[in-house]
Amino acid sequence: MTRRKLIAGNWKMNGLKADGIALATAVAEKYKALEDKKFDMFIAPPFTILDAVADAAKNSGVWVGAQDCSQFEKGAHTGDVSPLMLKDLGCGGVIVGHSERRADHFETNELVNAKATAALAADLGVIICVGETLAEREAGKTLDVVGAQVRGSVPLNATAGKVVIAYEPVWAIGTGKIPTTAEVEEVHAFIRSELAKLLGQDIADKMQILYGGSVKPSNAAELLSLSDVDGALVGGASLKADDFWAIAETVK
Ligand code: PGA
């Protein structure tokens, strides 16, 4: 089964308007000029510059989206942003369940599932993040934790065209540490087997599973060559157009 690779950039809480437009423009120009587009590209700037970044990337083929959304369509939810609002801005997708949201905002699998469901209802693509903490890995609980996150966070109407899973070990995010290739392969294959139980083998075979956590130009080729690794969710290195592009260019 060959699955198309997805290179996704999570800018987190970084980027004022001018920097964001410059970064998005640089990435969009490179992608647009690429004759053989062997990978899809997604960037997720902060809400405040989504409109400007979506505009900068317009007609380039780069997919722009948000880092979170509300589980509600509209109404009395101060400070929240609904999937319909994202769609209205020209977003193609949204990341949900990032470990920083799970940790900082106490997001549970149930809430992540509700957010993903709302995003799908608004016709957005969804990247659902899962991953264990260092304490969980050291206690030998990685597969238990990731399995529970997949079963709890992925809506049962998820399809391969609309939903992507990102495996991001919490201890690898922003630390420069990455799991061994065998560890990455083990977890990705396990996630696919959980998806097969949840959604059926056909959808599971087609669904992209990204690796995230300290992906850099120097380690991307190896990570992206692993079976069941269908792309990367990149944080820090997505803030520099050249680094982000160098990661994407390792896609074979
Ligand atoms: P990092 O972040 O690439 O800076 O480790 C990845 C992520 O949190 O998505």
Side-chain angles (χ1 to χ4, degrees):
M1 165 67 60
T2 49
R3 287 171 296 267
R4 205 170 149 77
K5 297 271 198 287
L6 172 65
I7 305 300
N10 172 14
W11 294 4
K12 308 194 179 185
M13 200 171 72
N14 294 292
L16 300 181
K17 210 195 268 180
D19 293 339
I21 291 172
L23 176 57
T25 303
V27 169
E29 276 174 2
K30 284 178 191 284
Y31 191 73
K32 196 174 178 182
L34 204 62
E35 255 174 50
D36 181 14
K37 294 183 171 54
K38 282 185 285 195
F39 53 86
D40 294 322
M41 193 160 243
F42 174 77
I43 49 177
F47 284 128
T48 47
I49 57 170
L50 254 178
D51 201 10
V53 166
D55 197 45
K58 205 159 68 190
N59 302 322
S60 68
V62 173
W63 190 40
V64 176
Q67 301 166 16
D68 177 47
C69 67
S70 171
Q71 71 274 37
F72 301 112
E73 236 180 63
K74 61 177 180 175
H77 303 288
T78 302
D80 288 343
V81 176
S82 86
L84 279 180
M85 293 167 176
L86 299 177
K87 187 80 189 166
D88 192 39
L89 281 184
C91 287
V94 61
I95 298 169
V96 296
H98 190 281
S99 61
E100 287 152 17
R101 299 230 35 110
R102 290 179 187 262
D104 297 354
H105 299 274
F106 312 106
E107 294 198 2
T108 60
N109 291 327
E110 292 69 30
L111 179 58
V112 174
N113 193 315
K115 290 182 173 199
T117 301
L120 288 174
D123 196 30
L124 292 170
V126 191
I127 298 177
I128 301 172
C129 304
V130 298
E132 81 287 0
T133 62
L134 186 59
E136 288 161 347
R137 175 159 285 272
E138 286 176 348
K141 289 188 187 149
T142 298
L143 299 187
D144 288 347
V145 169
V146 170
Q149 288 174 334
V150 169
R151 289 189 298 277
S153 308
V154 178
L156 293 178
N157 66 343
T159 59
K162 279 287 177 190
V163 171
V164 173
I165 309 298
Y167 169 55
E168 300 200 302
V170 178
W171 52 274
I173 294 177
T175 59
K177 295 189 190 124
I178 54 167
T180 64
T181 52
E183 286 167 342
V184 174
E185 278 184 321
E186 180 193 27
V187 179
H188 279 237
F190 172 74
I191 290 173
R192 202 172 300 287
S193 71
E194 288 298 308
L195 291 172
K197 284 188 230 156
L198 202 63
L199 308 170
Q201 191 68 50
D202 183 54
I203 293 178
D205 283 341
K206 291 182 182 142
M207 193 166 277
Q208 291 162 310
I209 305 176
L210 313 184
Y211 169 79
S214 295
V215 178
K216 296 188 171 45
S218 55
N219 59 26
E222 185 169 38
L223 287 164
L224 290 170
S225 72
L226 301 176
S227 55
D228 287 309
V229 175
D230 308 311
L233 180 53
V234 186
S238 73
L239 295 173
K240 288 194 186 131
D242 288 347
D243 285 353
F244 191 48
W245 194 254
I247 289 167
E249 275 192 318
T250 67
V251 173
K252 293 280 184 302

